[in-house]
Amino acid sequence: MALTLHFPAKTVTTITQFPENPKTLIVQQCKTTKDLNQVHAHLIKSRFHLNPTISENLLEAAAILIPATTMDYALSIFHKINEPDSSAYNIMIRAFTLKQSPQEAVMLYKTMLENSVEPDRFTFACTLKACSRIRALEEGEQIHAQILKSGFGYRQLVTNTLIHLYANCGRIDIARKMFDRMSNGDVFSWNSMFSGYVKTECWREIVDLFNEMRDLGVKFDEVTLINVLMACGRLADIELGGWISEYMEEKELNGNVKLMTAVVDMYAKCGHVDKARRLFEQMNRKDVVAWSAMISGYSQARRCKEALGVFHDMQMANVVPNEVTMVSVLSCCAVLGALETGKWVHLYVNKKRMELTITLGTALMDFYAKCGLIENAVEVFKKMPLKNVFSWTVLIQCLASNGQGERALETYYIMREKNIEPNDVTFIAVLSACSHVGMVDEGRELFVSMSRDFDLEPRMEHYGCMVDILGRAGLVEEAYQFIKNMPIPPNPVIWRTLLAACRAHKNVEVGEESLKNLITLEPMHSGDYILLSDIYASAGRCEDALRVMNQMREQGIKKTPGCSLIELDGEIYEFLAEDNMCPHFKEVYDATENMMKRIKSAGYVPNTADARLDAEEDDKEASVAHHSEKLAIAFGLIRTSPGTTIRISKNLRVCTDCHNATKIISKVFNREIVVRDWTRFHHFKEGSCSCNDYW
């Protein structure tokens, strides 16, 4: 009988005589479901299907070799086999695992035992792999006991899969004991250990194990190197990472996309972003993982404009971004306040129907929060199908930093009602909420609640929040005593927080003490000298203020210049205080002059105490007029349509003069202005600010 097979390349193969043993035909020549159906029909007609070996060949083709076939078809063949042996069960268990149904694979193994079919080493290996996929540790331990009873405990294939199971299920200690007992482990054994250490983030153990592997002369492969490079990135081990990079070049492995991507990621995480970029540009092929690694590298180095530039290049290269890409891009948009780019990402996520996972949803919330769009963040939170403590914490922090402290605390209590346990970061968020709106008693209670109710030991950040709560509320002496009674030595941030409170409440004595401690801990920080100088100036002690500034200059400490960013039509514009080299210099300065004239007519009086101390008396008004956020706001006024919200990001705390000026600008020009400084958001509208002048 002649049999015609149709292949994808539009060739037709005609077999004039069906082979006596059709294994080669079934396993190697059947490329499509149609081919398999024709062979299956002939086997039934010729009664070859009653031969167990041939049936298993047909089953393997249906279950594993031909991707288009469904498991229903494979199951129909399996169920028609009279008393299937372990080989048939092995094929089906392996197929279920490969086709993302490991639960079904484990259930089939149980059926196999119930039917008294004796498992072999391949059965154990396949089933353990399925258990590993679903982290079914209990079932895996039961199978381990059966393996020991069956005498397969010392077979390398079985031991390797057991190591992988325990490592993947978080029992890295058991995995390591089994690994150490092996006398002749192969590269798969070593890689199983590496994989387990990656999952449990035991980065140092990976490096130590790799060094041991090299000392023993065990050959390693691509999987080994990728795992070790990941560890090098996390540990900033540039020495070992560089050795691997040189080894790859020597062995001509630089054409391997996965390995090169791992090297790029390693250099970026070690802070060598420019080296990572050079290697990235040398890659002939770049997949989405490579692009994402480069974007993530820039993002982690806070070189966010360059990260968005790479993302733009990725789009031009028609590479489809994935969730990892989107999370890194959203993180950069959040840092820069790049609202339009971030909104485009959100639209893309919706258009492509990407799943709103906890990671992606939380990144979107964080982006909207840092652009001051609270309700957008809340809307994303509501749409997330799954939420964890990190999602709730981001929402609480969003509300806190945007001046909605009471709403932030309400959200915290709703989270508790849903039996979601807060973590230490949650408490930083709720304590910040108390700080921003002056809820001193609530802050004290929450601080105590950490250790009393949740067994969470306060960290430096929590102590810093309490100092901020007390200091903002004017309880400067109490804040000072709180620091002195801390069970851990205060860091510079703690003293700096107190110093800022001293400036706000003109407490010279505690301010001087704060600076003494700061100079001991971090002598080269310009902001500390400026804060004390401001305290002296506000107390009318101008000579002392100038002395502090001169002391700063003598020690070669340079002041961090005020810098403000504004995004217009997807482009980021950067302005520095009193910057005559800014983009569109004449246009910006003319617009600023016009803006200042109009707000003066509405009652604005410049606070020249916020001018540069070394500015001449006649120049002080011009100095405060050209602070970076005023330049950015003026540019926004002339480059956007009337009524458009202006969004500014600033690297320093908003000064008193700019805060007062922006309130009046919002009223005179009928604009909502959102300013994000280094501590919080200020929403200016109709002459008032969301912080209620409490910042």
Side-chain angles (χ1 to χ4, degrees):
M1 177 181 177
L3 179 68
T4 302
L5 299 182
H6 301 276
F7 292 96
K10 297 184 180 178
T11 61
V12 177
T13 300
T14 301
I15 301 174
T16 55
Q17 185 175 359
F18 202 89
E20 193 171 313
N21 183 350
K23 178 178 179 180
T24 303
L25 176 69
I26 296 170
V27 175
Q28 295 181 7
Q29 294 193 34
C30 289
K31 305 297 182 187
T32 67
T33 306
K34 188 174 180 181
D35 299 339
L36 191 62
N37 288 337
Q38 290 177 352
V39 171
H40 192 185
H42 188 84
L43 289 173
I44 293 170
K45 190 171 182 180
S46 61
R47 301 183 66 79
F48 273 121
H49 72 292
L50 299 176
N51 182 318
T53 304
I54 293 174
S55 293
E56 285 171 15
N57 295 152
L58 183 72
L59 180 64
E60 185 177 9
I64 298 171
L65 301 179
I66 301 177
T69 54
T70 65
M71 285 303 292
D72 290 339
Y73 183 29
L75 279 167
S76 70
I77 297 170
F78 177 76
H79 288 316
K80 286 173 184 173
I81 298 175
N82 187 30
E83 296 184 356
D85 61 9
S86 61
S87 297
Y89 275 101
N90 292 348
I91 290 167
M92 291 303 294
I93 291 169
R94 183 176 162 221
F96 275 126
T97 306
L98 287 172
K99 297 194 175 182
Q100 309 304 316
S101 300
Q103 189 77 45
E104 297 294 329
V106 177
M107 294 302 295
L108 188 60
Y109 173 75
K110 290 179 180 179
T111 303
M112 178 183 180
L113 296 182
E114 288 165 4
N115 291 337
S116 300
V117 178
E118 196 73 28
D120 59 20
R121 70 180 190 276
F122 299 109
T123 317
F124 289 131
C126 292
T127 312
L128 285 169
K129 193 170 186 179
C131 291
S132 180
R133 288 274 176 90
I134 56 176
R135 300 192 177 180
L137 180 60
E138 187 177 343
E139 287 83 353
E141 288 173 332
Q142 291 171 3
I143 294 168
H144 190 177
Q146 291 163 4
I147 289 167
L148 294 174
K149 287 179 184 178
S150 304
F152 287 108
Y154 298 101
R155 297 290 183 95
Q156 188 161 292
L157 174 65
V158 175
T159 306
N160 283 346
T161 48
L162 276 168
I163 290 170
H164 189 267
L165 165 80
Y166 285 117
N168 203 43
C169 291
R171 293 307 309 270
I172 198 73
D173 53 333
I174 299 175
R176 185 60 195 254
K177 283 177 183 175
M178 295 193 69
F179 175 80
D180 289 339
R181 286 179 192 147
M182 294 180 73
S183 56
N184 58 341
D186 58 11
V187 69
F188 183 83
S189 316
W190 290 82
N191 286 345
S192 294
M193 278 309 307
F194 284 126
S195 176
Y197 280 137
V198 166
K199 285 182 172 64
T200 51
E201 298 187 358
C202 297
W203 309 117
R204 174 53 58 193
E205 285 80 355
I206 291 173
V207 170
D208 291 344
L209 188 64
F210 182 64
N211 288 332
E212 184 182 336
M213 189 181 194
R214 289 163 64 195
D215 291 343
L216 293 172
V218 180
K219 289 185 178 179
F220 42 83
D221 62 9
E222 171 191 333
V223 176
T224 316
L225 294 178
I226 289 171
N227 284 321
V228 178
L229 284 166
M230 196 182 302
C232 291
R234 297 306 191 283
L235 297 171
D237 190 341
I238 193 69
E239 185 178 346
L240 179 57
W243 181 88
I244 294 173
S245 180
E246 290 171 7
Y247 172 86
M248 286 169 53
E249 193 169 345
E250 181 187 325
K251 300 295 182 182
E252 298 182 347
L253 296 173
N254 286 355
N256 185 311
V257 175
K258 289 183 180 178
L259 269 174
M260 280 302 293
T261 300
V263 172
V264 167
D265 187 56
M266 178 275 298
Y267 276 119
K269 283 187 169 62
C270 288
H272 294 246
V273 187
D274 295 324
K275 170 76 170 175
R277 183 63 184 267
R278 285 195 297 274
L279 290 171
F280 175 78
E281 294 299 342
Q282 290 168 16
M283 292 174 68
N284 294 324
R285 288 188 303 115
K286 305 181 186 80
D287 60 11
V288 64
V289 181
W291 286 96
S292 298
M294 196 63 249
I295 293 167
S296 174
Y298 276 128
S299 173
Q300 289 163 13
R302 309 296 278 183
R303 291 166 62 172
C304 295
K305 289 175 81 171
E306 288 162 284
L308 294 185
V310 175
F311 179 59
H312 176 73
D313 294 342
M314 179 182 179
Q315 291 173 287
M316 293 297 101
N318 293 318
V319 177
V320 178
N322 60 16
E323 180 182 325
V324 176
T325 321
M326 293 311 199
V327 169
S328 293
V329 171
L330 284 167
S331 174
C332 292
C333 292
V335 170
L336 295 171
L339 180 61
E340 295 309 314
T341 306
K343 277 187 169 180
W344 180 91
V345 171
H346 194 181
L347 285 171
Y348 182 91
V349 167
N350 291 335
K351 183 180 177 182
K352 297 296 181 181
R353 299 184 182 279
M354 292 175 71
E355 184 185 355
L356 201 60
T357 61
I358 288 175
T359 304
L360 182 57
T362 303
L364 270 169
M365 285 170 58
D366 185 56
F367 155 68
Y368 279 123
K370 286 176 178 169
C371 287
L373 292 169
I374 313 166
E375 297 311 321
N376 294 59
V378 172
E379 192 62 31
V380 171
F381 179 79
K382 287 178 179 176
K383 288 181 178 177
M384 288 171 65
L386 293 173
K387 306 173 184 74
N388 64 7
V389 65
F390 299 107
S391 318
W392 284 93
T393 299
V394 167
L395 181 60
I396 293 166
Q397 184 61 55
C398 162
L399 296 166
S401 63
N402 281 278
Q404 298 195 21
E406 291 180 5
R407 193 175 169 193
L409 284 185
E410 285 171 15
T411 303
Y412 169 73
Y413 292 122
I414 292 169
M415 182 188 93
R416 291 298 304 120
E417 286 170 9
K418 294 184 180 293
N419 294 317
I420 295 173
E421 196 90 344
N423 60 20
D424 57 341
V425 183
T426 313
F427 276 100
I428 293 172
V430 290
L431 289 170
S432 296
C434 295
S435 172
H436 288 313
V437 290
M439 294 189 287
V440 178
D441 292 338
E442 291 87 344
R444 287 191 179 112
E445 172 57 28
L446 285 162
F447 184 80
V448 171
S449 172
M450 274 187 72
S451 50
R452 183 190 64 203
D453 302 329
F454 303 102
D455 199 28
L456 292 170
E457 197 67 32
R459 294 191 286 112
M460 192 69 73
E461 292 85 348
H462 303 102
Y463 287 106
C465 287
M466 277 308 301
V467 172
D468 197 37
I469 289 170
L470 296 169
R472 284 177 190 268
L475 304 170
V476 176
E477 294 292 342
E478 185 179 342
Y480 180 48
Q481 288 303 317
F482 180 86
I483 293 172
K484 291 174 74 174
N485 294 330
M486 280 172 57
I488 53 176
N491 68 2
V493 176
I494 299 283
W495 288 111
R496 196 165 293 128
T497 302
L498 183 63
L499 185 59
C502 292
R503 180 181 68 173
H505 299 286
K506 302 179 182 179
N507 190 317
V508 176
E509 186 180 344
V510 176
E512 289 175 332
E513 186 62 30
S514 300
L515 186 64
K516 284 178 187 175
N517 285 281
L518 278 165
I519 290 172
T520 303
L521 295 168
E522 201 173 296
M524 302 300 286
H525 194 285
S526 64
D528 302 333
Y529 292 88
I530 292 164
L531 280 170
L532 184 60
S533 175
D534 288 348
I535 293 169
Y536 283 136
S538 64
R541 293 168 58 174
C542 294
E543 288 185 10
D544 287 327
L546 284 169
R547 175 179 54 77
V548 170
M549 296 302 290
N550 288 333
Q551 182 183 350
M552 186 177 91
R553 290 193 195 92
E554 286 166 8
Q555 294 182 15
I557 303 169
K558 293 184 178 179
K559 178 184 175 183
T560 303
C563 172
S564 295
L565 305 177
I566 182 171
E567 183 196 30
L568 298 173
D569 299 323
E571 187 173 349
I572 305 291
Y573 294 88
E574 183 177 52
F575 297 91
L576 299 175
E578 302 183 62
D579 181 14
N580 57 9
M581 299 294 289
C582 67
H584 314 283
F585 166 73
K586 188 174 187 314
E587 182 184 14
V588 170
Y589 271 69
D590 287 347
T592 304
E593 186 178 346
N594 176 59
M595 179 181 76
M596 300 308 290
K597 281 180 182 176
R598 288 187 61 179
I599 64 173
K600 278 181 183 177
S601 301
Y604 162 73
V605 177
N607 179 12
T608 54
D610 286 325
R612 283 182 293 107
L613 280 173
D614 60 353
E616 297 293 334
E617 199 61 41
D618 293 343
D619 295 333
K620 286 188 176 181
E621 188 175 323
S623 173
V624 294
H626 296 148
H627 279 186
S628 65
E629 57 265 61
K630 290 194 184 83
L631 299 177
I633 291 169
F635 190 58
L637 288 171
I638 61 173
R639 285 298 186 96
T640 58
S641 305
T644 304
T645 299
I646 295 173
R647 301 178 188 279
I648 307 292
S649 296
K650 186 175 180 183
N651 65 331
L652 304 174
R653 181 181 180 273
V654 172
C655 72
T656 303
D657 183 76
C658 285
H659 194 269
N660 293 336
T662 309
K663 285 196 295 184
I664 300 171
I665 293 167
S666 71
K667 186 174 183 179
V668 169
F669 290 88
N670 193 27
R671 296 289 192 106
E672 183 176 353
I673 302 170
V674 181
V675 177
R676 183 181 90 193
D677 70 10
W678 70 289
T679 59
R680 65 174 299 154
F681 280 87
H682 298 266
H683 295 256
F684 298 93
K685 190 175 182 180
E686 297 175 354
S688 63
C689 178
S690 59
C691 74
N692 295 317
D693 298 339
Y694 187 86
W695 90 104

